[in-house]
Amino acid sequence: ASSDSVVTLLDYGAGNVRSVRNAIRHLGFEIKDVQTPQDILNANRLIFPGVGAFAAAMDVLNKTGMAEALCTYIEKDRPFLGICLGLQLLFESSEENGPVNGLGLIPGVVGRFDSTNGFRVPHIGWNALQVTEDSEILDDVGNHHVYFVHSYRAMPSSDNKEWVSSTCNYGDNFIASIRRGNVHAVQFHPEKSGGKISLLNCSQLSYVGLSVLRRFLYPKSNMTKKPTEGKASRLAKRVIACLDVRANDKGDLVVTKGDQYDVRENTEENEVRNLGKPVELAGQYYKDGADEISFLNITGFRDFPLGDLPMLQVLRLTSENVFVPLTVGGGIRDFTDATGRHYSSLEVASEYFRSGADKISIGSDAVYAAEEYIKTGMKTGKSSLEQISRVYGNQAVVVSIDPRRVYLKSPNDVEFKAIRVKDTGPNGEEYAWYQCTVNGGREGRPIGAYELAKAVEELGAGEILLNCIDCDGQGKGFDVDLIKLISDAVNIPVIASSGAGAVEHFSEVFMKTNASAALAAGIFHRKEVPIQSVKEHLFKEGTEVRI
Ligand code: 1PR
């Protein structure tokens, strides 16, 4: 390949850069991976998608001599694009597990978002930019939302103002992108910011995030330049499509969907309900405007996921064409196979990340970890939740809660948090506690959803996926009582799940609770309500959404 069509990629192996690779290839470039510091100095254009924690990344860069090479490369004003942590590392230092020194090219300290002012941390989701300088690479973005996922951010100041090209508002006005000469960096993820736009003065259609990469890769292209100003926006509420995946009795991986977690048909054969093929459906939901896609490997608790190669293949294939975040859950735990080989939960998660997942979701294993933590009051650091969030960051770890209502005459009848519920119990009970379950709802545990949510937040979860077995597949709306209880109890984002049956259920959950996202499965699979109508309805009702 001629050097003109090669992009040098700095991937130090800490997470999922599969989507960045896919996006670069999609734009017609070949990728050369950095092996030595010299590869950085020889690059024609360098993309640095920083993933993982700040300290761990600096450690690798310092030990390999790449830190010095990066500084030389950037000081020479060579074409550079940093993404997410690839922006933060350019600053003097970060407070993440620190202070830890960064590359020191831009004045400023990277600090944590302040969650005391009602803004949930991590900042996860779609937000718009306020472009302050002609940044060139942002010229097609305008008012479109782009995808952020981070707990730390750099702030604009008089010392770094000549670097700042756009900001974003999330409690603070933090730095969303920097630009000086040929050096660019963005806090958001262009490779995850799908969503159709028409290019300025051009009849072509593109995707928001791809337009950013394209403008970096083709700086002198004939697309007319015109800086566009973004309007201030709020973080958009997300609409998530969920695919429960398992092998059917023939061994094919299918998207299935249960009623209160029972996924078998009510027929004599009692077969697993089959609603389609995972890769195809995910591609369809991406085109329909899903803000995220979740895959739950619902038999992961008994089938070891690394033995479950089709699921990894589903992720690999999906991430080739789907440019929004992908979450995968099911079976993330320590495991010893028949030959006695031990796999840590971190290995399982790493394989999911390598295959294209941006976030992993933990169900059963998080319940055990929370029970232990509440019992002993001690963090062992050894649970899957703690290990994975330490290496990949809190924002990459979702805890999926599968609670079932247990009705009570009085809230004092249990040691767990009980609330008054709108739908009373079979004997007129007005209260309920929400008992957590494991193994796909098969076993109830001595812990409530409220206690679990608070414990897993402390253990390092970055987000909660809140299901409700009673509502699952019923189409009668989300359990607003439960979602309000949990979203008021924690400072991390909460995804409302189970029971969506109409567009109004989405506006209700956003109006009455502090949920950051709403997830549905059945109505999308059965094509009863398209994702686009959900978005349009929310928009009409005044909710900020990505259209
Ligand atoms: O315990 O770490 O192996 O993870 C297992 C994962 O699989 C958990 O996230 C658990 O929620 C999920 N799971 C296990 N069994 C089932 C089942 O259905 N039999 N599915 C299951 C959970 C529930 C929702 C569903 C919503 C929306 N799926 O995510 O998509 O309820 O549905 P609706 O819109 O149709 O009402 P581990």
Side-chain angles (χ1 to χ4, degrees):
S2 94
S3 62
D4 278 353
S5 60
V6 175
V7 173
T8 304
L9 188 74
L10 176 49
D11 170 8
Y12 49 89
N16 169 28
V17 297
R18 181 174 282 269
S19 315
V20 178
R21 290 178 187 278
N22 288 338
I24 294 171
R25 290 202 190 100
H26 190 90
L27 291 168
F29 283 79
E30 281 183 31
I31 294 166
K32 176 173 167 45
D33 278 291
V34 171
Q35 311 284 352
T36 66
Q38 197 57 41
D39 293 334
I40 295 180
L41 300 170
N42 292 344
N44 262 351
R45 44 180 94 68
L46 180 66
I47 295 187
F48 181 24
V51 276
F54 193 100
M58 272 316 293
D59 211 38
V60 174
L61 296 181
N62 283 325
K63 280 198 183 122
T64 53
M66 292 193 194
E68 207 185 321
L70 268 175
C71 289
T72 308
Y73 181 86
I74 290 172
E75 274 159 2
K76 283 192 178 153
D77 193 31
R78 307 281 304 129
F80 174 86
L81 176 64
I83 299 174
C84 194
L85 193 63
L87 174 144
Q88 298 181 4
L89 291 164
L90 306 179
F91 285 80
E92 285 167 319
S93 67
S94 169
E95 287 169 1
E96 184 177 359
N97 305 324
V100 181
N101 283 341
L103 295 171
L105 295 160
I106 306 179
V109 174
V110 178
R112 194 165 196 275
F113 279 109
D114 182 5
S115 59
T116 54
N117 55 7
F119 287 85
R120 284 160 201 274
V121 183
H123 173 221
I124 298 184
W126 301 80
N127 215 328
L129 309 176
Q130 287 124 278
V131 180
T132 49
E133 284 298 316
D134 179 6
S135 58
E136 292 190 39
I137 63 167
L138 303 180
D139 283 355
D140 304 306
V141 175
N143 286 332
H144 295 280
H145 291 90
V146 289
Y147 186 78
F148 288 89
V149 47
H150 58 134
S151 300
Y152 291 81
R153 83 284 182 256
M155 299 291 287
S157 73
S158 51
D159 294 333
N160 60 32
K161 70 170 182 297
E162 70 268 28
W163 285 90
V164 179
S165 57
S166 73
T167 59
C168 173
N169 189 278
Y170 189 64
D172 304 320
N173 257 330
F174 67 89
I175 297 177
S177 67
I178 61 107
R179 186 262 166 108
R180 196 155 95 176
N182 293 313
V183 176
H184 300 268
V186 291
Q187 179 60 66
F188 58 90
H189 287 265
E191 79 283 8
K192 286 285 151 194
S193 301
K196 282 203 183 86
I197 55 169
S198 45
L199 295 177
L200 275 182
N201 301 336
C202 187
S203 59
Q204 241 181 312
L205 272 182
S206 180
Y207 294 100
V208 183
L210 283 185
S211 78
V212 175
L213 291 169
R214 179 184 286 112
R215 285 210 176 260
F216 171 71
L217 295 172
Y218 296 100
K220 292 193 184 70
S221 67
N222 53 11
M223 292 180 287
T224 320
K225 271 201 299 153
K226 180 174 159 289
T228 48
E229 289 214 355
K231 265 210 313 264
S233 94
R234 285 167 294 157
L235 181 65
K237 298 288 184 184
R238 285 170 280 153
V239 176
I240 301 176
C242 181
L243 291 82
D244 288 352
V245 178
R246 63 161 286 169
N248 63 12
D249 300 325
K250 289 196 221 97
D252 303 324
L253 213 56
V254 296
V255 174
T256 188
K257 181 69 219 50
D259 282 326
Q260 303 184 322
Y261 284 34
D262 179 2
V263 298
R264 292 196 175 262
E265 299 281 13
N266 240 340
T267 56
E268 233 164 67
E269 291 77 31
N270 217 233
E271 65 273 30
V272 171
R273 207 172 282 155
N274 180 349
L275 291 163
K277 294 188 178 150
V279 180
E280 274 172 26
L281 273 186
Q284 187 58 48
Y285 295 151
Y286 167 59
K287 286 197 196 116
D288 294 346
D291 294 316
E292 261 178 62
I293 291 172
S294 290
F295 292 104
L296 296 175
N297 186 348
I298 66 168
T299 47
F301 69 91
R302 62 162 181 257
D303 307 324
F304 181 55
L306 295 193
D308 189 4
L309 296 173
M311 191 64 192
L312 299 176
Q313 190 62 5
V314 163
L315 275 174
R316 289 188 197 111
L317 293 173
T318 304
S319 66
E320 275 174 27
N321 298 309
V322 171
F323 298 106
V324 291
L326 302 177
T327 302
V328 64
I332 297 179
R333 66 198 147 100
D334 291 345
F335 183 81
T336 305
D337 71 12
T339 68
R341 157 93 156 86
H342 179 77
Y343 297 86
S344 71
S345 57
L346 190 59
E347 280 175 81
V348 181
S350 300
E351 198 53 43
Y352 273 150
F353 285 125
R354 263 196 296 276
S355 302
D358 299 286
K359 299 190 260 186
I360 55 90
S361 146
I362 309 176
S364 308
D365 210 48
V367 178
Y368 301 127
E371 285 180 24
E372 189 64 22
Y373 175 53
I374 292 171
K375 198 165 86 195
T376 63
M378 301 252 290
K379 293 183 191 172
T380 61
K382 293 198 178 118
S383 65
S384 50
L385 170 53
E386 290 162 284
Q387 291 193 45
I388 300 166
S389 63
R390 193 163 51 238
V391 175
Y392 290 97
N394 302 12
Q395 80 291 334
V397 182
V398 183
V399 166
S400 162
I401 312 186
D402 302 302
R404 184 179 275 126
R405 258 181 240 142
V406 182
Y407 291 100
L408 301 167
K409 286 239 149 55
S410 151
N412 304 322
D413 289 352
V414 275
E415 57 184 295
F416 308 106
K417 179 89 173 173
I419 52 169
R420 188 187 279 276
V421 286
K422 191 176 85 244
D423 302 323
T424 50
N427 303 310
E429 297 95 331
E430 289 182 357
Y431 294 88
W433 73 286
Y434 287 86
Q435 182 179 26
C436 292
T437 64
V438 293
N439 300 348
R442 287 169 183 78
E443 182 192 339
R445 298 294 306 178
I447 182 169
Y450 176 86
E451 290 77 21
L452 182 88
K454 291 183 85 72
V456 297
E457 177 176 30
E458 286 178 36
L459 290 172
E463 194 169 38
I464 286 173
L465 163 53
L466 183 56
N467 303 292
C468 177
I469 298 181
D470 307 79
C471 297
D472 175 59
Q474 304 306 296
K476 294 187 190 139
F478 297 97
D479 188 326
V480 169
D481 300 321
L482 169 67
I483 296 158
K484 182 161 172 20
L485 173 72
I486 303 300
S487 61
D488 287 345
V490 294
N491 270 315
I492 52 180
V494 172
I495 302 167
S497 164
S498 302
V503 293
E504 290 78 13
H505 294 149
F506 290 83
S507 44
E508 182 189 28
V509 79
F510 289 134
M511 216 126 63
K512 296 189 179 162
T513 79
N514 284 313
S516 301
L519 172 151
I523 50 168
F524 298 148
H525 302 335
R526 294 187 303 268
K527 303 192 172 36
E528 287 164 11
V529 178
I531 295 172
Q532 202 52 37
S533 336
V534 176
K535 295 286 196 74
E536 280 162 14
H537 172 75
L538 288 169
F539 181 75
K540 238 181 30 224
E541 299 282 302
T543 302
E544 177 109 15
V545 284
R546 179 182 73 105
I547 293 285

